[in-house]
Amino acid sequence: MEADELLVLVAGGDQQAFEDLYGLVSGPVFGLVRRVVRDPAQSEEVAQEVLLELWRSAGRFDPRRGSALSWVLTLAHRRAVDRVRSARAAGEREQREALRAGEPAFDHVAEEVEAGLEREWVRRCLDRLTALQRQSVTLAYYDGYTYREVAERLKLPLGTVKTRMRDGLTRLRECLGGAA
């Protein structure tokens, strides 16, 4: 079935037709929303809102005014633009409120610089570990392996890995203690 026919059935409450229509339009809807909103999480949320709105308002579709896909993408575009405008307005309100309160507005550049400095500090502290400690800590905390998996990858007894990790994390904590 075509999207136009499916949308008419959806307007009558046909759940199977909605599932079929969802399969046809969810990709284009998300793609359009993603181009407008840009943030992946926000895009997913907006796309979900559009598809929910599609289920609720399918009866408003008029096939004489255009295709179902055009109508759905128009809904998606409007909702995405609304989200961007809302986010922009919220940011402007926060800045105005910060100015009124005499506080500096949130500084994204300063936050990024600070995060970069923290990453550099962690790198320096990691460099102070022994090669074996650094390897174990990196596998566990950066690559996401469990202690048991680290032991298997390094072909070492689990107890040895646990000792390396404990000693390495102690040294890291001491090194990073000056960062707090």
Side-chain angles (χ1 to χ4, degrees):
M1 266 191 209
E2 301 250 346
D4 294 25
E5 298 167 309
L6 290 170
L7 195 50
V8 170
L9 293 173
V10 169
D14 186 331
Q15 291 182 352
Q16 183 58 50
F18 181 71
E19 286 181 36
D20 295 342
L21 183 62
Y22 183 97
L24 285 174
V25 302
S26 61
V29 164
F30 180 73
L32 173 68
V33 169
R34 180 78 165 89
R35 283 191 299 276
V36 174
V37 176
R38 295 199 176 123
D39 177 71
Q42 291 287 321
S43 298
E44 289 174 8
E45 189 175 310
V46 171
Q48 181 179 9
E49 291 171 6
V50 168
L51 293 166
L52 183 60
E53 182 179 350
L54 177 61
W55 171 253
R56 291 179 179 160
S57 64
R60 293 187 315 188
F61 170 65
D62 182 0
R64 296 172 299 195
R65 296 184 65 189
S67 73
L69 185 59
S70 298
W71 185 72
V72 171
L73 291 177
T74 298
L75 289 175
H77 186 262
R78 287 179 182 161
R79 183 64 63 107
V81 168
D82 286 348
R83 178 63 62 98
V84 169
R85 287 179 179 156
S86 174
R88 186 174 296 142
E92 291 170 0
R93 275 193 307 275
E94 287 176 12
Q95 284 183 331
R96 282 193 305 271
E97 185 58 35
L99 288 173
R100 265 189 243 127
E103 299 171 4
F106 182 76
D107 188 349
H108 293 284
V109 173
E111 287 294 316
E112 287 183 32
V113 167
E114 188 174 325
L117 290 172
E118 288 172 358
R119 281 191 299 274
E120 181 58 33
W121 194 311
V122 169
R123 271 190 225 107
R124 282 189 206 146
C125 290
L126 278 171
D127 287 343
R128 293 181 180 174
L129 301 179
T130 68
L132 300 173
Q133 290 170 339
R134 184 174 44 254
Q135 186 180 29
S136 297
V137 169
T138 300
L139 285 170
Y141 287 92
Y142 287 100
D143 296 338
Y145 291 107
T146 64
Y147 284 19
R148 183 172 308 284
E149 291 169 333
V150 170
E152 289 170 5
R153 286 185 64 85
L154 299 177
K155 296 178 179 34
L156 293 170
L158 181 59
T160 302
V161 168
K162 286 182 177 182
T163 300
R164 282 186 190 170
M165 293 293 294
R166 185 194 67 229
D167 294 346
L169 292 174
T170 299
R171 290 181 70 183
L172 277 175
R173 186 174 27 256
E174 289 168 359
C175 179
L176 292 170

